Amino acid sequence: MRPHRTLTARGGLMLFFGVVALVCGFVIGQRELVGVGLFLALVPPVSALTVLGAAGRVVHSRALRPQRVPAGTDTRVLVRIGNSSPSWPVSWVRIEDALPVRLGYEPRYTVGHLPPRAVRDVTYLVRPAVRGRYPVGPLRVSVLDPLGCVRVTRVVGAPTPLLVTPPVVALAPLSASDGSLGENTPRRSVTGVGEQDPIPREYRHGDELRRVHWRSTAKHGELMVRRDEQHWREHSTLLLDTRYGAHFGEGPWNSLETAVSVAASVAVNLLDTGHELRLHTERGRLHTENTSGVLDGLATVESSETVGLQGGISALEGARGVSARLVVAVLGALSAEDALALSRANGSGLHVAVLCTRAAWASAEDIRRTAELLAANGWRVVPVSDPTELPPLWHRAISPTGGGRPAPAGARAPWEGSR
């Protein structure tokens, strides 16, 4: 971007009074006043010559540490300003880093005089409250002449991306030993007669020496290695409701942010415990190869204009074809039709429905009816208004005895008074 030159207030006043003095001096015939006016009028143009090319000599670099953070945590921005000229100084420098509104006010710093080859470091903290991908920068550099009459402003560099992932809460692991998934839970098996005494095979070129079974080697008189253990992986399906009309609120208090944080927590928990995860929204499937991929994908998920949840419900129904042992639906406000269709998507394995109680429900009674319908069809219902409430409710929902059913008649439901 080309430099933009403007007069400061001081420069403008000097030019104004210089012109006035010149006119008055000529009118009344006072040479001294004419000289003063000429001096004042020439100062701003001469000052502009002193900063000619100065903004172009200012170089910078920016680093974010870290460049990927969970929402609600700090990242440090390091801006390094330098004078690239080996002989010419830059008189007075001021910088301003451009930030999106969600990251707060744009920081401004006075660097001051920069001698030749001089370098100055400026650091500040940014704490994003909402997930997303934010541009930090570009940098706006202002250079003033020594008398402060002319300002040259130039935008330098390109924005540095900051990736803000959804916050994750720690959840109880879903293991086969606690019976959470029922009798259909896949068991680990190994080739051979048993885990304590696996059947070895002959050594092949490329086998690692640490797999040599020395007892069998001594018995057979040739190198024998242990056979590879094979594991069955559990399949799980996660549905995230991102419909714009299903959620309510603004910024970090939007129920969509709660839903994304809950989905991220569940996804991380399942991937860390070895599950093969299928993550869907009502618009399609998201990347779930690893934990980082899930968090990066959820960091940039936006609300959709889709009205119904049928696309996501179809994904849950398809999950039965891959023998899903756990199905989790993180939901905003549901219509009666969507609630009925979701209740019919039950199948083998454990089904958990997380209802965001601060979503765009018409009333607490609608939440109760939806929870009762899902619970009656085998779903374990978990009402959540904030992600921090999830850990104990999740532990109860995946327990062998079950949980998360609606409150009995006359009792105060968790969602009453949530909005």
Side-chain angles (χ1 to χ4, degrees):
M1 182 177 177
R2 298 183 61 183
H4 178 64
R5 296 176 178 85
T6 58
L7 288 175
T8 64
R10 179 184 299 175
L13 289 174
M14 292 183 70
L15 186 60
F16 172 78
F17 287 117
V19 173
V20 171
L22 276 173
V23 174
C24 293
F26 280 117
V27 170
I28 64 177
Q30 291 290 333
R31 294 183 179 180
E32 294 80 2
L33 190 57
V34 172
V36 172
L38 184 62
F39 173 77
L40 293 176
L42 289 177
V43 168
V46 173
S47 297
L49 294 177
T50 64
V51 294
L52 191 64
R57 297 195 294 270
V58 178
V59 294
H60 90 293
S61 64
R62 183 191 297 104
L64 306 182
R65 300 176 181 172
Q67 199 168 347
R68 177 180 179 272
V69 295
T73 58
D74 293 334
T75 184
R76 184 177 298 275
V77 183
L78 171 63
V79 180
R80 176 162 290 179
I81 300 295
N83 181 2
S84 62
S85 173
S87 54
W88 293 95
V90 180
S91 57
W92 190 91
V93 180
R94 186 179 184 182
I95 62 173
E96 181 178 351
D97 219 4
L99 291 180
V101 175
R102 286 188 173 182
L103 294 187
Y105 296 102
E106 296 183 343
R108 302 176 181 179
Y109 297 95
T110 299
V111 179
H113 178 75
L114 277 179
R117 296 297 190 187
V119 175
R120 301 283 188 274
D121 288 336
V122 174
T123 61
Y124 62 92
L125 295 178
V126 171
R127 178 176 291 182
V130 182
R131 63 185 175 84
R133 190 183 299 274
Y134 299 98
V136 179
L139 192 69
R140 191 177 299 111
V141 177
S142 298
V143 178
L144 267 69
D145 67 283
L147 296 178
C149 296
V150 178
R151 178 184 293 109
V152 180
T153 303
R154 182 170 178 254
V155 176
V156 297
T160 303
L162 172 64
L163 183 64
V164 182
T165 60
V168 174
V169 295
L171 302 178
L174 188 69
S175 61
S177 60
D178 60 11
S180 301
L181 300 182
E183 296 181 356
N184 293 326
T185 302
R187 299 294 197 270
R188 186 179 73 172
S189 63
V190 297
T191 54
V193 297
E195 291 187 33
Q196 302 300 325
D197 189 23
I199 296 179
R201 60 170 174 82
E202 295 179 358
Y203 175 84
R204 299 172 186 167
H205 178 71
D207 287 337
E208 298 179 0
L209 291 178
R210 61 188 177 90
R211 292 173 52 198
V212 172
H213 194 266
W214 297 108
R215 186 170 59 183
S216 299
T217 298
K219 179 179 179 181
H220 294 277
E222 58 180 336
L223 282 177
M224 306 291 288
V225 296
R226 296 181 179 86
R227 294 178 184 268
D228 294 328
E229 290 187 352
Q230 298 179 357
H231 302 265
W232 293 100
R233 296 192 65 187
E234 295 178 343
H235 295 268
S236 299
T237 302
L238 175 59
L239 169 63
L240 171 61
D241 182 3
T242 64
R243 296 171 299 146
Y244 176 80
H247 292 280
F248 176 81
E250 297 291 338
W253 298 277
N254 191 335
S255 62
L256 176 60
E257 300 306 315
T258 299
V260 172
S261 179
V262 168
S265 302
V266 173
V268 169
N269 176 267
L270 294 177
L271 290 172
D272 286 346
T273 52
H275 284 239
E276 185 172 324
L277 180 65
R278 296 166 59 92
L279 174 58
H280 293 266
T281 68
E282 67 281 356
R283 291 173 291 182
R285 187 173 179 180
L286 299 180
H287 172 77
T288 55
E289 183 176 346
N290 50 48
T291 300
S292 297
V294 169
L295 293 178
D296 292 351
L298 291 177
T300 55
V301 164
E302 298 180 354
S303 58
S304 72
E305 298 296 331
T306 306
V307 177
L309 195 61
Q310 188 56 49
I313 296 174
S314 299
L316 294 186
E317 293 173 342
R320 289 182 291 180
V322 294
S323 302
R325 294 298 185 262
L326 175 65
V327 175
V328 181
V330 184
L331 307 166
L334 296 180
S335 65
E337 295 78 8
D338 285 337
L340 182 60
L342 184 64
S343 67
R344 293 172 176 173
N346 200 354
S348 61
L350 177 64
H351 283 57
V352 179
V354 181
L355 302 183
C356 296
T357 59
R358 294 186 182 273
W361 299 95
S363 65
E365 185 60 29
D366 285 345
I367 309 178
R368 180 184 290 276
R369 283 197 296 265
T370 300
E372 290 176 346
L373 175 62
L374 294 176
N377 286 272
W379 288 78
R380 298 185 181 183
V381 182
V382 178
V384 171
S385 62
D386 188 86
T388 57
E389 302 174 355
L390 183 62
L393 298 175
W394 174 260
H395 180 71
R396 180 185 174 195
I398 66 173
S399 64
T401 57
R405 292 183 178 275
R412 181 178 177 83
W415 47 79
E416 292 180 348
S418 61
R419 283 187 57 187

